[in-house]
Amino acid sequence: QAALAQFVSPERRTTVFAWCNLVGSVGTALGALCGGWLSALAQSVGLSGADAYRPAVLVYAVAGISLVWCFRSLHSRVESDEGRQAIKPDSARSWGLGKSRPLVLRLSALFALDSFGGGLVIQSVLAYWLNLRYGAGPAELGTLFFGANLLSGLSFLAAGWLAGRIGLVNTMVFTHLPANIILMLVPLAPDFVTASLMLLARALITQMDVPTRQAYLMAVVAPEERSAAAGITGVARSVGAAISPLLGTVLAGSATLASLPFFLGGALKIVYDVLLYQGFAQHRPEHERERTMVR
């Protein structure tokens, strides 16, 4: 995020981040499709239980190892000396943040809350619940997640257009809020087809806040603090997403509480949307304020 932000104008950042996330989402979609069908193929040749999923895990490991080569191939020009030159020693001891620190910490707390809510219904929990509730198999689930990730990726392209008209924070909140309402309605679906359609509808809008969130963060912090801001907010999201699956899996494994992660996760993410709007709707990036003045 920080590397791209120094080469792209503020007006184009959301669109550039959207394309980056689109590529990642298409990759995730293809992985979900291949993983589901690979597991189904393993079952068809006689593998069962964990053995049927081991081939997909091995392919995942190989793909992860290949990232080492990808990152090593990056040119040193993606690094900026501006940050190291501008941050004073006392600021560097504050995790690389200076004047942006209060803002970044507030955003980090909100992002952690959002990730905690989302972590209650991670894809593995959702797959387990769909199998438990409707008897959906690996091939059906793989196809569903392929479609959901593909739609999420395509929705990224609309994020830049929408943010240019209603603003970054408004785009984050007004697309995220209805998506979370849909999440809470999924357990009420009478069959797998209806639940799938609801999840696909949610996929169309739930990820539009990703490129806008990234662009907003890069716009409201000082250029020399972008790397630190991206790192700290990323860690906050990772911590939130790492803790909640412990609770989500316990609830999903209960016959009486299996649907609770949907309601609890959706409610927490709605709280995040409300707090984000209250706290940052008036804290607009400079390029948005300038555009408003021109109009």
Side-chain angles (χ1 to χ4, degrees), residues 151-162:
L151 290 176
S152 293
L154 294 175
S155 72
F156 288 140
L157 301 182
W161 175 85
L162 189 59

Side-chain angles (χ1 to χ4, degrees), residues 74-91:
L74 290 174
H75 196 277
S76 60
R77 284 197 298 269
V78 302
E79 300 287 354
S80 173
D81 292 331
E82 183 180 8
R84 288 188 290 271
Q85 295 171 356
I87 296 178
K88 298 178 181 179
D90 59 339
S91 298

Side-chain angles (χ1 to χ4, degrees), residues 12-29:
R12 296 183 59 240
R13 280 184 197 139
T14 305
T15 301
V16 172
F17 286 142
W19 276 102
C20 291
N21 284 286
L22 170 60
V23 173
S25 187
V26 170
T28 302

Side-chain angles (χ1 to χ4, degrees), residues 221 227 244 248 284:
V221 302
S227 293
S244 51
R284 294 185 298 170

Side-chain angles (χ1 to χ4, degrees), residues 204-222:
L204 275 172
I205 53 177
T206 188
Q207 294 297 315
M208 289 179 68
D209 72 311
V210 175
T212 49
R213 180 181 68 235
Q214 294 169 346
Y216 180 79
L217 180 64
M218 294 297 100
V220 296
V221 302

